[in-house]
Amino acid sequence: MNILSTIVATGIPGFLSYIYLNRLGILNYTKDEKDEKIIVLSIFSLINIGVSIVVFYYLTGKKFSKNLDIESYLFLFLIAVVVSFILTLYIYPLVMKMGNKYIDNFQKNNHIANKSTKTVYESVLFRKDKKYPFIFIFDFDNKFIESGFAHRLSGASEKLNISITNTTGHIKETYTIYEVLEKFENHDNESAEIIIDVENKLKVFVFYS
């Protein structure tokens, strides 16, 4: 087993870290942000490799080189898995949340527009302080499409793939754009938003309970 294959192997858990943080909503890059995604994956892998090699040397007293036996390589990979597990569950989320909070405060204090790695739908429909918003969907011709509680969203891209549920049993079959606009005007800025989806030619009215 050569040194290159070991480096690649120990970097695999770094990729798993990215997947986990992506599922938590801490990291989420769109298909147009491939360069950013590659950089983040590389950073995770380098951190994972570096910490694993240090721990390996501390536990065995052996320097990382191509002369290691297969048992040492396997032990190093096991260390990488454990290190990645600890970093992913405890260190990465804490550091990234603190970093995002600092950046958000800096942008707010300096009147800089906030750029999120989340899609617009994820940011608006699934806010941490709100649960299952009620939405109305219209096309650009103001034709009613659907309404209900936004329950699940596909995060693969900006495309609209929403699972809608009706837990009240009192949703009308159809609404007019004027009814929804009137409802929107009667809500404050914190409890209602509109998503203008140019790509899919949709207007999505979002109401938080």
Side-chain angles (χ1 to χ4, degrees), residues 64-121:
F64 180 63
S65 70
K66 62 181 180 180
N67 297 321
L68 292 175
D69 53 45
I70 188 170
E71 288 80 9
S72 296
Y73 279 119
L74 292 174
F75 185 52
L76 176 57
F77 180 73
L78 179 61
I79 290 174
V81 173
V82 175
V83 166
S84 181
F85 181 81
I86 295 173
L87 290 174
T88 300
L89 291 184
Y90 303 105
I91 307 301
Y92 289 151
L94 178 62
V95 171
M96 299 198 72
K97 286 179 181 178
M98 291 176 61
N100 288 335
K101 185 176 181 180
Y102 171 80
I103 293 173
D104 289 341
N105 289 335
F106 178 82
Q107 291 175 326
K108 183 178 180 180
N109 294 334
N110 291 276
H111 307 288
I112 302 173
N114 182 24
K115 184 181 184 299
S116 174
T117 58
K118 295 182 180 180
T119 65
V120 173
Y121 288 116

Side-chain angles (χ1 to χ4, degrees), residues 102-174:
Y102 171 80
I103 293 173
D104 289 341
N105 289 335
F106 178 82
Q107 291 175 326
K108 183 178 180 180
N109 294 334
N110 291 276
H111 307 288
I112 302 173
N114 182 24
K115 184 181 184 299
S116 174
T117 58
K118 295 182 180 180
T119 65
V120 173
Y121 288 116
E122 288 174 310
S123 299
V124 175
L125 295 181
F126 297 101
R127 288 168 43 178
K128 291 183 178 180
D129 58 331
K130 305 293 182 181
K131 184 177 181 180
Y132 300 146
F134 195 91
I135 65 174
F136 300 87
I137 305 174
F138 293 85
D139 63 18
F140 275 15
D141 294 323
N142 294 331
K143 180 181 177 182
F144 175 75
I145 296 176
E146 189 56 87
S147 65
F149 291 95
H151 180 69
R152 188 178 296 109
L153 173 71
S154 170
S157 66
E158 288 280 1
K159 293 183 179 180
L160 182 60
N161 296 292
I162 305 174
S163 173
I164 297 177
T165 60
N166 174 11
T167 59
T168 65
H170 299 292
I171 299 176
K172 291 171 57 178
E173 291 185 1
T174 185

Side-chain angles (χ1 to χ4, degrees), residues 26-78:
I26 298 176
L27 282 177
N28 189 9
Y29 292 101
T30 67
K31 61 183 180 181
D32 297 323
E33 298 173 314
K34 293 180 180 179
D35 292 340
E36 291 88 340
K37 184 176 180 179
I38 291 173
I39 291 173
V40 171
L41 285 172
S42 299
I43 291 173
F44 282 149
S45 295
L46 288 173
I47 292 175
N48 185 76
I49 292 169
V51 175
S52 298
I53 291 175
V54 171
V55 174
F56 175 77
Y57 177 75
Y58 177 80
L59 293 178
T60 66
K62 298 179 181 179
K63 293 183 178 181
F64 180 63
S65 70
K66 62 181 180 180
N67 297 321
L68 292 175
D69 53 45
I70 188 170
E71 288 80 9
S72 296
Y73 279 119
L74 292 174
F75 185 52
L76 176 57
F77 180 73
L78 179 61

